Amino acid sequence: MSDSYLLLWLEAPLQSWGYDSKFGRRDSLNFPTKSGVMGLLCCALGASGKQTEFLAQWADADMSVEAYVLKDSNGHATLRQPLLMDFQMVGSGYDDNDPWQSLLIPKTSDGKKAVGGGTKMTYRYYLQDMAFAVVLQGNADELKVLQDALLNPVWDLYLGRKNCVPTDFIARDMYQSLEEAFEAARSIAKTKNLISSFKVLQGEHEGDVLTLNDVPVQFGEHKLYRDRQVTVISRE
């Protein structure tokens, strides 16, 4: 049986697709990562823990992305900077004599307040007002399971971070080819006054080739990832 293609539409005021992030600085790529999409699917399925078998099943599956932004009055992509930085203080203002408030203060491994009295500064980055068509290749029956789960998710769905709530349906049907799926995405974008900004294709193509360590091998407490190559193709 030939593979099919499941179209996911990811749209929200804020999205964040962490890649090379530390506690104090949570960056975002400008497109969805494979690990982020797999995490989204696990939420839909209600799948917790390591999920090594599920992840191995989709590790080599092709995942392509097309990014969309708002059009200006001349029909061109808006020039607005889509990246938002949110500055936060974690663990500040809590009374450590109150057992409940004390739980919110970052601690060292021996239970004492972390450096700086337990207060941590964090910088969190978000993409603003963008939409992505993500096309996942796979067996039709297996993709149907994912599509049904996205339509009736077990857990809340979010786009990279729990405060990034999707504002439209994610699952947008299955197609016989990648181009058919992208054509359906363009139809959705047209109704929303959105225009294509760039594409991300798996593997090496004409464009900017990147190596990303975003293929999840194991979730859970001790996460593991491996590399893949993608090509970013800007819209001319």
Side-chain angles (χ1 to χ4, degrees):
M1 180 184 294
S2 61
D3 283 346
S4 296
Y5 297 81
L6 175 62
L7 172 61
L8 311 179
W9 184 260
L10 308 182
E11 181 181 359
L14 297 176
Q15 301 185 44
S16 187
W17 303 102
Y19 173 62
D20 185 22
S21 297
K22 307 299 181 185
F23 178 82
R25 183 183 177 92
R26 300 295 179 88
D27 291 321
S28 174
L29 281 181
N30 60 347
F31 55 86
T33 59
K34 192 161 190 178
S35 57
V37 172
M38 289 297 107
L40 172 70
L41 295 173
C42 282
C43 283
L45 293 164
S48 62
K50 296 181 179 180
Q51 292 299 316
T52 50
E53 291 185 7
F54 173 77
L55 295 174
Q57 177 185 346
W58 296 101
D60 295 320
D62 185 84
M63 191 186 90
S64 300
V65 177
E66 187 159 18
Y68 294 92
V69 296
L70 286 169
K71 288 193 293 187
D72 62 20
S73 58
N74 297 316
H76 301 131
T78 55
L79 298 178
R80 175 183 174 182
Q81 171 55 258
L83 198 63
L84 170 72
M85 184 187 75
D86 182 24
F87 172 75
Q88 298 183 7
M89 299 288 287
V90 178
S92 62
Y94 294 108
D95 181 1
D96 59 354
N97 293 316
D98 184 309
W100 295 108
Q101 292 190 47
S102 178
L103 293 174
L104 301 174
I105 302 173
K107 306 290 195 308
T108 62
S109 59
D110 59 4
K112 297 179 181 178
K113 284 185 180 181
V115 176
T119 299
K120 299 287 186 182
M121 293 186 295
T122 69
Y123 300 83
R124 302 174 188 231
Y125 292 83
Y126 299 89
L127 302 176
Q128 300 181 82
D129 298 330
M130 294 193 71
F132 299 95
V134 176
V135 182
L136 185 64
Q137 182 183 24
N139 173 274
D141 292 337
E142 294 168 347
L143 290 176
K144 181 66 164 56
V145 171
L146 299 182
Q147 178 176 250
D148 290 344
L150 288 166
L151 294 172
N152 297 281
V154 176
W155 297 330
D156 292 341
L157 303 180
Y158 51 90
L159 305 186
R161 200 170 288 157
K162 289 185 178 180
N163 62 334
C164 300
V165 181
T167 54
D168 206 340
F169 292 108
I170 292 175
R172 295 304 185 106
D173 215 343
M174 294 189 295
Y175 300 87
Q176 295 303 307
S177 70
L178 179 63
E179 186 50 44
E180 283 184 23
F182 275 139
E183 186 60 37
R186 294 183 196 108
S187 296
I188 297 171
K190 186 175 181 181
T191 67
K192 297 171 175 286
N193 195 40
L194 300 174
I195 190 170
S196 174
S197 177
F198 60 89
K199 273 187 177 181
V200 183
L201 302 180
Q202 194 153 294
E204 290 189 46
H205 305 272
E206 290 293 327
D208 295 326
V209 179
L210 306 176
T211 299
L212 303 178
N213 185 239
D214 76 336
V215 179
V217 176
Q218 177 177 293
F219 282 152
E221 184 177 357
H222 302 289
K223 298 177 176 61
L224 298 173
Y225 303 91
R226 68 171 174 82
D227 292 348
R228 68 176 176 131
Q229 285 190 315
V230 301
T231 303
V232 179
I233 305 172
S234 298
R235 182 178 181 273
E236 295 181 358

